[in-house]
Structure formats: C-alpha cells, structure tokens
C-alpha cells in the first residue's frame, strides 16, 4: 500500500481571500499560548466570510440550500501568543460533485502557524441530503481562486 504524499504547506500567495483577526487575551490557555480550539474558531470565521459571496448568486442561500461542514482537521505548526494580528487565508483546493476540499493557512505576519483542511458539502436543507454544487458556485470559485481547484 503506498502512502499518500502530504500537500505542501501553503504560502500567502496561494490565497486571494484573507480574514484578519486579532488574537484576544481570552484566546490564551494557562500556558500563555493560543488554545488549540481557537484555531478552529479562526478557520470558521474565514470560511463564513469566504462563502458569504454566494448569498448574492444563490437564491435562498442558507434557507433552502447551502453548505455544511463535514470534516475539519488542523496541523499546528508553531505556538501562537498574544498579541498577534492574524491573516487567515482560505481557499478551495478541490471541487467534487457535491463536496469541496478547503484549506486555510493561519499567518502571524509571514509566519505560518497552522493549516486547516476541511470538507464542505453542498446541502439541500429541505431534502436533508447532499446536492450537486450549482454551476454558478463552481464558476465563482474557479474565477476567484489564485490556484485553480482540482476538479473531479
């Protein structure tokens, strides 16, 4: 059985979408660094801001159809302390029939402190099941991303 090679670590130039957040004192744990759970909160904020663009192109977004998070994982690369001004890059790496693979890079200046990988599913809320990603969503993602998403 061959091992899958891990994707290379992202750099800022891989992202067009950035969310800027300040590390808050309350984000720290008893050891004085940002608690690992906060990285998922930072990723969530970037994800929601990234997908906000579809509210203008998908009728009834978040009511009849939209996105659900199926999986998220984080690679913690370096400790993060207060104060810090973060830039969270978010992008879609792969488009499937009903799902997308996303990647976030959390940067403190030029220092990459964490990467997150997620699977997002286009979801029909009425039928309570996955649905094909609308072509307008695919087209919007394709035209936006700096690095073209893999399709298939």
């Amino acid at each position: 059985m061959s091992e899958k090679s891990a994707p290379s670590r992202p750099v800022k130039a891989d992202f067009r979408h950035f969310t800027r957040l300040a590390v808050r004192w309350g984000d720290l744990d008893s050891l004085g660094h940002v608690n690992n759970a906060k990285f998922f909160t930072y990723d969530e904020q970037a994800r929601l801001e990234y997908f906000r663009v579809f509210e203008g192109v998908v009728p009834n977004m978040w009511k009849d159809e939209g996105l659900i998070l199926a999986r998220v994982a984080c690679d913690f690369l370096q400790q993060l302390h207060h104060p810090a001004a973060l830039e969270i890059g978010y992008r879609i790496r792969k488009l499937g029939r009903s799902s997308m693979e996303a990647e976030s890079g959390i940067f403190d200046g030029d220092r990459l402190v964490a990467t997150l990988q997620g699977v997002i599913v286009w979801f029909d809320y009425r039928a309570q099941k996955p649905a094909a990603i609308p072509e307008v969503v695919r087209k919007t993602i394709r035209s936006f991303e700096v690095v073209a998403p893999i399709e298939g």
Side-chain angles (χ1 to χ4, degrees):
M1 186 179 268
S2 67
E3 262 189 60
K4 224 176 168 181
S5 62
S8 61
R9 289 188 177 154
V11 296
K12 279 187 173 179
D14 292 338
F15 300 98
R16 177 165 292 153
H17 175 82
F18 284 93
T19 298
R20 288 163 177 77
L21 295 171
V23 170
R24 300 166 302 179
W25 183 257
D27 293 347
L28 305 181
D29 62 17
S30 62
L31 298 175
H33 61 263
V34 172
N35 182 286
N36 59 6
K38 294 299 179 181
F39 288 81
F40 294 95
T41 303
Y42 301 155
D43 176 69
E44 176 186 52
Q45 185 67 38
R47 181 174 57 255
L48 291 174
E49 288 184 16
Y50 181 96
F51 287 114
R52 189 163 283 135
V53 68
F54 300 120
E55 293 172 4
V57 297
V58 176
N60 296 318
M61 178 76 171
W62 306 120
K63 293 178 180 67
D64 295 332
E65 62 182 321
L67 302 154
I68 59 170
L69 181 65
R71 176 186 178 281
V72 66
C74 184
D75 293 319
F76 303 99
L77 305 173
Q78 299 187 43
Q79 291 185 30
L80 184 58
H81 298 90
H82 180 275
L86 303 179
E87 292 181 89
I88 299 100
Y90 194 89
R91 69 184 182 126
I92 300 302
R93 289 179 54 100
K94 183 176 181 181
L95 286 167
R97 187 193 79 75
S98 62
S99 66
M100 308 172 209
E101 292 180 15
E103 177 178 54
S104 295
I106 300 180
F107 297 90
D108 178 13
D110 288 326
R111 185 173 67 108
L112 180 63
V113 296
T115 61
L116 290 95
Q117 306 78 38
V119 175
I120 296 112
V121 175
W122 194 265
F123 203 73
D124 180 331
Y125 299 136
R126 293 164 293 163
Q128 286 295 294
K129 65 181 186 179
I133 300 167
E135 187 55 37
V136 67
V137 171
R138 292 174 178 281
K139 183 179 176 183
T140 302
I141 291 169
R142 286 182 199 122
S143 68
F144 182 75
E145 291 298 347
V146 175
V147 179
I150 298 165
E151 302 216 26

